[in-house]
Amino acid sequence: MFLPRVVKRQEPLQWGSFFIFAAALVVSLGVSCALLAVHGKPPLKALAVLWSGGFGGPFALEDTLLKSIPIFLCSLGVAVSFRMQVWNIGAEGQFALGAVGATWAVLAFPGLPVWAMMPVMFLCAAAAGGLWAAVPAVLRLRFGMNEIISTLMFNYIGILFLQFLVYGAWKDPTSFGFPMTPIFPEAAIIGPISPATLGRVHWGLAVCAGVAVLLAVFLKRTRLGFELLAGGENPRAARYARMPYNLLVLLVMSLCGALAGFAGCIETSATVNRLQPSIMVGYGYTAIVVAWLSRLRIGSIACFAFLLAGLRVGVEHLQLDLQVPAAFGGILEGMILLSVLAGQFFDRYRFTLHGRS
């Protein structure tokens, strides 16, 4: 009698990982199509709209690239904290505080020239996001509080704090009652790289490239980066080797908050040119999905950030063309994550038939 048995592979699959991911993506899209069919929507037409809306032309690719910028920055920070086995779920709130910090810099120093305004905005955004993330780190280190719970709760506080400001003290008196700040001066707006060739794609893309290179160098070429990776592999061994484990936890949380703050600054400055609640569309939550799908690798983060940004844009077209509920985007993201994570099981394990008398 032969019984199935799970056996760990001697080494992970190489090219097989790509096919496992492709199969998982097909499964997730298949399940999503089934849900659309139950809802009375034509599945094949929905897939066509999803593809053309996110990747089917220059304008679609432009929108996808714009949305991938904040997702990429938030995902980098989440991936760094996850490498330390610090489960920071608070990128959404840190994104909000980054936007608040950048807006404060604009409102406090409206007359600064562009060469001074931009560094001040990014510095204030990074400080606000980093300090916001540092509080849960201190709560974990000092009182043993679970950072998953604390960072999740801080998301709601951060978003509500942003709303408190734009509905109150920072509200533009000429906005006809709409919750938004006055529009930023020209020196505080991140402009497009090349309107003739890249359209609305702005210099935030260059910020992403620079941050990715600096982060890769930090992790691979510095002692602190090595200690960060080693501390994530085995916290007990890190403490035994007298590595500053508590400092490393505080560092990765603050770094994650700073990167999410950068994303909030860019989205506020380049996309809407002011602070308003509509910038909070879940980029910080999508970053968690991207970080897991990419296995915390910087190069893969760029690919998955672009992919999920394209799916977001495609779902927006589905809402307009087929009146698909807005929640479908979250369902699709969740299905992709679950399918890929389940598929990764076969990357490290295989089934064999074991004889038994």
Side-chain angles (χ1 to χ4, degrees):
M1 180 179 180
F2 293 94
L3 298 175
R5 183 180 179 184
V6 177
V7 178
K8 188 172 184 179
R9 297 182 187 274
Q10 296 299 319
E11 58 183 22
L13 290 173
Q14 299 302 322
W15 283 102
S17 299
F18 172 78
F19 294 107
I20 288 174
F21 168 74
L25 187 61
V26 169
V27 169
S28 60
L29 289 175
V31 173
S32 300
C33 285
L35 292 176
L36 287 173
V38 171
H39 199 65
K41 309 298 181 183
L44 294 181
K45 183 179 179 180
L47 285 180
V49 171
L50 186 68
W51 171 261
S52 62
F55 309 100
F59 294 106
L61 291 173
E62 182 182 310
D63 285 342
T64 296
L65 197 55
L66 288 172
K67 282 184 169 54
S68 67
I69 290 172
I71 293 174
F72 176 75
L73 288 172
C74 291
S75 301
L76 281 182
V78 170
V80 171
S81 63
F82 284 2
R83 278 176 178 265
M84 264 295 287
Q85 296 189 27
V86 178
W87 312 115
N88 181 8
I89 314 298
E92 185 77 358
Q94 294 146 25
F95 175 93
L97 264 292
V100 167
T103 303
W104 177 85
V106 175
L107 297 179
F109 310 105
L112 288 179
V114 64
W115 59 267
M117 178 67 81
M118 286 298 166
V120 170
M121 285 176 62
F122 276 96
L123 182 62
C124 290
L131 290 173
W132 193 252
V135 177
V138 173
L139 292 175
R140 165 181 163 160
L141 296 173
R142 184 68 180 85
F143 302 104
M145 181 178 290
N146 187 303
E147 71 273 14
I148 297 175
I149 302 299
S150 59
T151 53
L152 184 61
M153 293 299 101
F154 268 53
N155 284 339
Y156 298 105
I157 298 173
I159 295 169
L160 290 173
F161 181 63
L162 183 153
Q163 294 178 0
F164 168 78
L165 292 172
V166 295
Y167 276 96
W170 288 0
K171 185 177 181 180
D172 183 6
T174 64
S175 66
F176 301 101
F178 290 99
M180 58 182 65
T181 65
I183 195 161
F184 288 177
E186 191 67 28
I189 296 176
I190 300 173
I193 298 174
S194 174
T197 56
L198 295 177
R200 293 175 294 132
V201 178
H202 50 72
W203 286 100
L205 185 64
V207 174
C208 290
V211 168
V213 171
L214 291 175
L215 185 61
V217 171
F218 168 72
L219 292 175
K220 296 182 179 180
R221 303 293 181 184
T222 66
R223 176 178 176 176
L224 196 59
F226 169 77
E227 290 178 343
L228 186 153
L229 297 178
E233 291 293 332
N234 194 326
R236 294 182 63 184
R239 288 191 175 97
Y240 183 77
R242 296 186 178 180
M243 293 181 184
Y245 182 78
N246 288 356
L247 176 63
L248 292 173
V249 171
L250 188 61
L251 172 66
V252 296
M253 287 288 282
S254 300
L255 182 58
C256 180
L259 291 174
F262 272 12
C265 173
I266 292 172
E267 190 70 8
T268 304
S269 172
T271 303
V272 296
N273 308 145
R274 67 202 325 165
L275 182 64
Q276 59 190 46
S278 64
I279 67 168
M280 303 307 302
V281 293
Y283 290 139
Y285 295 119
T286 301
I288 300 170
V289 179
V290 170
W292 277 120
L293 292 177
S294 65
R295 300 187 184 184
L296 314 181
R297 299 169 184 166
I298 293 177
S300 299
I301 287 173
C303 297
F304 282 105
F306 185 78
L307 172 63
L308 289 193
L311 292 177
R312 274 177 165 264
V313 177
V315 168
E316 291 175 0
H317 283 262
L318 279 177
Q319 293 176 45
L320 293 174
D321 292 357
L322 300 178
Q323 287 75 53
V324 172
F328 180 73
I331 293 174
L332 184 57
E333 283 184 13
M335 285 303 306
I336 292 174
L337 177 62
L338 290 175
S339 300
V340 172
L341 291 180
Q344 287 177 0
F345 171 85
F346 298 99
D347 189 28
R348 297 185 177 275
Y349 298 91
R350 60 187 176 88
F351 285 103
T352 63
L353 293 178
H354 177 64
R356 184 177 179 183
S357 58

